[in-house]
Amino acid sequence: FLGAVGSELGMPTYIVGGFVRDLLLNKTNFDLDIVVEGNANSFASAFKNYFDIKIVEHKEFLASSMFFHDGLRIDVATARTEFYKRPAALPEVDMSTIKKDLYRRDFSINAMAVKLNQEEFGMLIDFFGSRNDLARGTIRALHPLSFIEDPTRVLRAIRFEQRFGFEIEVRTAELLKNCVREDYLDKVAGQRLRDELNKILLEPQPLKAIRRFSTLGVIEKLFPGVVFDRQIDFAVEKYFLRRPRNIGYIGEDRVFYTLMMILLRYSSNEQVQWNIQRYGLPRNFLERLKDARENADNISRESPERPSEYHRMIKSKKAETLNFLNSQLDDERDRSFEEYLKRLKGTKLAIDGEHLKRVYGLKEGPEIREILDALYCARLDGLEIEKEDGFVKNFL
Ligand code: ATP
């Protein structure tokens, strides 16, 4: 139907990018990116005549997002030719517009389109040998300046390489290394890098990508001062191998924070501050990192065993701090710490401050806190929930 609307307006209409790539790889993809040779905002308005959709226009890009009630979203963009604007440009030759649109994309595998207008419905548009690259498992930049134009493509190349088990083509790898060596990553806004990093962290195997970063010299450019040595590698590995079992709701940013804590474990305060600024980390990140490091040192020095010992030693119970600590432990400490995390998640007191006041006539004050803390620690160490009252009586 998209094609029919396009034809009605006389606009060649294509589905492009990741969707086409994944279609050829037989993978599902719900990112529907449409490109029209014409005004995408007019396209969206015409589409609204037939479907009850909400439209959000992105005027500056001549693009619209169309939202359906069932949650489906389709993005429509105007085929872009802005890099080629010339006064009195020749009238566009057939398909030159979509070709230019595809040419400004990141890699050949993402630069295919499928035509949607009835006349040529389903026609695969492949100007750059994309299909061949897809079949061979090659990540290839479309032109020599690709990484310089947009250095976030360095991260994207590694993401796709790891996701599909592909290989970055030799010449593309040279261009990538050159971009990294010449410090082009410095020119990109931190937030854009963070967004690309987060996408990598959402992939099933971020560890491989991070190791690849390290061999390509990307880590020290992204995070100056970080030396990706055996120790850090070990902690990163531990974190990602364990992540499914780790505690807390692991949202994107939390994974990012935890990774930053692990990478910046041995960095100076100045270096940490620099990273806070660059990547928009919370202002108290340095304090949190210092506390977490101190906790890690205490744990390795004092070798706690019981859950309550861990509990008293660890100040912040935020998921990223606990996950960071988990990544820092030696094998000896592993089991007892995991046990602590498990108990921490499963332990909730049956009685509360109100109960203490009502049943034991206690007054508001620090004593109540103290009793509840002691009780909680006893519960962590295995006290059964029915024995809470008995514990309080004893305590008093
Ligand atoms: P995913 O499956 O992870 O969503 P994707 O290929 O759909 O991968 P998106 O980031 O959603 O990735 O981008 C959609 C399309 O836009 C890509 O397929 C690519 O053609 C183009 N694109 C995205 N980012 C860039 C970029 N930095 N440079 C050039 N083209 C890009």
Side-chain angles (χ1 to χ4, degrees), residues 40-282:
N41 298 333
S42 318
F43 180 96
S45 319
F47 201 81
K48 200 174 159 60
N49 293 333
Y50 300 97
F51 285 93
D52 184 19
I53 50 167
K54 279 217 169 65
I55 298 177
V56 176
E57 279 193 11
H58 316 284
K59 283 227 169 65
E60 66 280 31
F61 300 120
L62 268 185
S64 282
S65 299
M66 309 194 291
F67 295 90
F68 295 72
H69 290 294
D70 59 0
L72 179 71
R73 164 187 176 158
I74 300 180
D75 291 316
V76 193
T78 304
R80 294 216 221 160
T81 58
E82 69 261 49
F83 301 130
Y84 297 84
K85 255 190 213 148
R86 261 168 291 153
L90 293 171
E92 297 294 350
V93 191
D94 254 359
M95 307 246 282
S96 71
T97 311
I98 183 73
K99 185 171 183 176
K100 284 172 191 166
D101 185 278
L102 294 173
Y103 188 63
R104 65 177 181 85
R105 287 167 190 270
D106 47 4
F107 306 109
S108 65
I109 58 165
N110 289 336
M112 279 177 282
V114 169
K115 198 153 185 189
L116 298 178
N117 306 87
Q118 283 111 323
E119 315 84 75
E120 289 168 312
F121 184 86
M123 183 169 82
L124 180 71
I125 317 264
D126 176 8
F127 292 110
F128 314 111
S130 303
R131 211 175 169 177
N132 201 13
D133 285 341
L134 206 54
R136 279 193 315 212
T138 301
I139 311 284
R140 192 165 50 82
L142 292 174
H143 54 84
L145 289 179
S146 185
F147 291 107
I148 309 243
E149 260 174 30
D150 180 357
T152 63
R153 291 173 186 165
V154 168
L155 310 195
R156 294 176 62 85
I158 293 166
R159 176 157 64 94
F160 292 123
E161 183 189 50
Q162 300 305 323
R163 182 197 293 175
F164 299 124
F166 283 10
E167 212 165 301
I168 301 175
E169 175 263 341
V170 181
R171 175 132 177 75
T172 300
E174 284 308 315
L175 297 170
L176 182 153
K177 284 184 214 159
N178 189 48
C179 167
V180 175
R181 204 179 322 117
E182 304 285 327
D183 292 328
Y184 280 95
L185 286 168
D186 290 357
K187 301 189 199 300
V188 183
Q191 187 57 47
R192 286 192 65 212
L193 294 171
R194 181 170 161 176
D195 290 344
E196 282 300 336
L197 283 164
N198 270 326
K199 288 191 201 167
I200 289 172
L201 298 179
L202 288 174
E203 296 278 329
Q205 300 219 34
L207 176 63
K208 277 195 187 160
I210 291 167
R211 287 201 168 131
R212 187 83 165 109
F213 278 161
S214 138
T215 37
L216 289 168
V218 176
I219 296 273
E220 57 253 47
K221 296 292 184 185
L222 288 179
F223 313 110
V226 171
V227 182
F228 199 83
D229 56 10
R230 296 265 309 263
Q231 244 171 328
I232 288 189
D233 183 276
F234 181 74
V236 173
E237 172 175 325
K238 212 162 170 182
Y239 172 54
F240 283 114
L241 293 183
R242 291 236 172 118
R243 193 149 60 100
R245 291 193 281 130
N246 282 359
I247 68 141
Y249 165 71
I250 312 290
E252 295 180 54
D253 275 351
R254 293 207 161 166
V255 180
F256 185 68
Y257 291 167
T258 311
L259 180 68
M260 292 302 278
M261 289 173 102
I262 294 173
L263 292 176
L264 297 170
R265 165 77 161 105
Y266 304 102
S267 301
S268 69
N269 291 352
E270 292 70 36
Q271 286 162 345
V272 176
Q273 287 294 9
W274 188 92
N275 281 284
I276 291 174
Q277 292 288 328
R278 176 99 171 109
Y279 296 107
L281 296 170

